[in-house]
Amino acid sequence: MKFTGPTTLTREQLREDFARARNLGRARLGEHCVYVQKFSGARCLPYGQIRRAWVRQEEVNANLCCGRANFDQFYLMVQGEEGEPLRGHVLSKEAGLACLDRIRAENPGVLIGPPKK
């Protein structure tokens, strides 16, 4: 698997950390990094480099044969020093909040909550 991101870990260390990471959907929490899986690999961001994190909720409205369905999807958003947030789908709001708790435990200085517009 291809790993990208601002980390000093070797490829082998990233591979081992990713394999042992807690799987929460398209986001994984490893011992050293947060991983967001993409089509061609995974983007990693070490806990110490995370500046802001939040859970984003998006409403999905779908037209089905039997009527209209509304449901929510949740995403873990993590922003590093470069400023561009990573977006990883999580299975539920509770899983996203558990991610925030782990990130806060690993990096007490992280800002929790979306940036102001």
Side-chain angles (χ1 to χ4, degrees):
M1 175 173 280
K2 180 181 171 185
F3 295 100
T4 59
T7 181
T8 58
L9 297 174
T10 66
R11 183 179 169 106
E12 187 59 37
Q13 288 172 321
L14 287 170
R15 190 176 298 129
E16 289 175 14
D17 192 40
F18 182 83
R20 290 183 297 206
R22 181 176 172 199
N23 187 355
L24 298 163
R26 302 295 288 173
R28 287 179 175 237
L29 298 177
E31 186 70 28
H32 305 286
C33 299
V34 173
Y35 299 92
V36 176
Q37 292 178 262
K38 300 293 181 186
F39 179 71
S40 62
R43 182 108 166 107
C44 57
L45 187 61
Y47 291 111
Q49 294 184 18
I50 297 173
R51 297 293 165 244
R52 183 181 296 272
W54 67 97
V55 175
R56 181 175 172 173
Q57 179 178 350
E58 293 183 5
E59 183 180 16
V60 177
N61 298 313
N63 292 320
L64 303 174
C65 62
C66 56
R68 190 164 178 83
N70 298 329
F71 59 94
D72 295 326
Q73 289 186 335
F74 298 94
Y75 297 91
L76 173 66
M77 306 291 290
V78 289
Q79 190 173 26
E81 296 170 351
E82 68 276 355
E84 185 66 29
L86 295 178
R87 178 178 182 245
H89 183 263
V90 291
L91 301 174
S92 66
K93 183 177 182 178
E94 292 76 23
L97 295 176
C99 291
L100 295 181
D101 290 341
R102 172 69 189 271
I103 291 169
R104 186 182 293 125
E106 294 289 334
N107 183 357
V110 70
L111 298 171
I112 301 296
K116 305 286 186 221
K117 290 187 179 188

